[in-house]
Amino acid sequence: MAPKHHPTPMSGGDRKALAKELGRSRAMTTILAGQAAEARAKGEALIRQADKLLCEAFNERLWSDGGPIDPSPAIDQALNGGYPWLEIECSRCKTKRDVDLAALRHPPTTAIHDLASRLRCSKCAKAGRRPAATLLQLAQRPRQAALET
């Protein structure tokens, strides 16, 4: 976008006044842009904190009620809140594993409780069975992986 053209006044006093007003306007632009950046950073921090609290509340409801609860945070809310891992358990063989939410091929607005019917046990899949997984909790880091031989 081209800069705005201000016609130069004929008298010297008016030219000085115009230059002064343009300087003030440019200074206010810088100040307001800085304030907008600060407000945006505060807002993003508040959203991140809200997403973290939503994930913690979901974990508490899973622990106390024992099943996928609606409403649950979306994948992008869990990632933003610092909970990128989902701990699941096979309903048949009781094998526990961690799922990286960032690596899932689901839209980021998919709710966590909707994933329960979509996630399957890889051990049981080799045996020809496809039981659904049980959600255990959202986690900030994966559990220690057992060495498999």
Side-chain angles (χ1 to χ4, degrees), residues 4-10 14-15 18 22:
K4 187 174 180 182
H5 174 69
H6 297 282
T8 306
M10 298 298 278
D14 290 342
R15 280 194 306 264
L18 177 63
L22 288 173

Side-chain angles (χ1 to χ4, degrees), residues 11 18 24 31 35 41-42 49 60 63 66-67 71-72 79 88 97 99 101 103 106 109 114 119 124 132 141 144:
S11 69
L18 177 63
R24 282 186 188 153
I31 291 169
Q35 289 176 349
K42 287 179 186 176
Q49 182 182 7
E60 289 298 322
W63 182 80
S72 65
L79 294 174
I88 63 171
R97 77 178 174 121
V99 177
L101 292 174
H106 293 286
T109 56
D114 288 339
L119 297 174
C124 292
R141 58 182 135 335
Q144 294 293 332

Side-chain angles (χ1 to χ4, degrees), residues 68-83:
I69 306 296
D70 182 23
S72 65
I75 293 173
D76 58 349
Q77 290 174 323
L79 294 174
N80 189 37
Y83 286 84

Side-chain angles (χ1 to χ4, degrees), residues 23-105:
R24 282 186 188 153
S25 177
R26 290 182 182 119
M28 279 305 293
T29 301
T30 305
I31 291 169
L32 292 174
Q35 289 176 349
E38 288 176 18
R40 183 173 304 281
K42 287 179 186 176
E44 289 172 356
L46 287 173
I47 290 171
R48 194 173 308 111
Q49 182 182 7
D51 289 343
K52 180 180 179 183
L53 292 172
L54 182 64
C55 292
E56 290 173 0
F58 179 71
N59 280 344
E60 289 298 322
R61 282 191 314 235
L62 274 177
W63 182 80
S64 63
D65 297 339
I69 306 296
D70 182 23
S72 65
I75 293 173
D76 58 349
Q77 290 174 323
L79 294 174
N80 189 37
Y83 286 84
W85 295 94
L86 176 63
E87 293 180 13
I88 63 171
E89 179 181 66
C90 176
S91 59
R92 182 177 172 270
C93 68
K94 304 298 183 200
T95 301
K96 295 180 182 178
R97 77 178 174 121
D98 298 321
V99 177
D100 184 6
L101 292 174
L104 289 178
R105 293 184 180 176

Side-chain angles (χ1 to χ4, degrees), residues 108-121:
T109 56
T110 303
I112 298 293
H113 73 274
D114 288 339
L115 295 175
S117 62
R118 299 177 187 175
L119 297 174
R120 305 287 182 204
C121 177

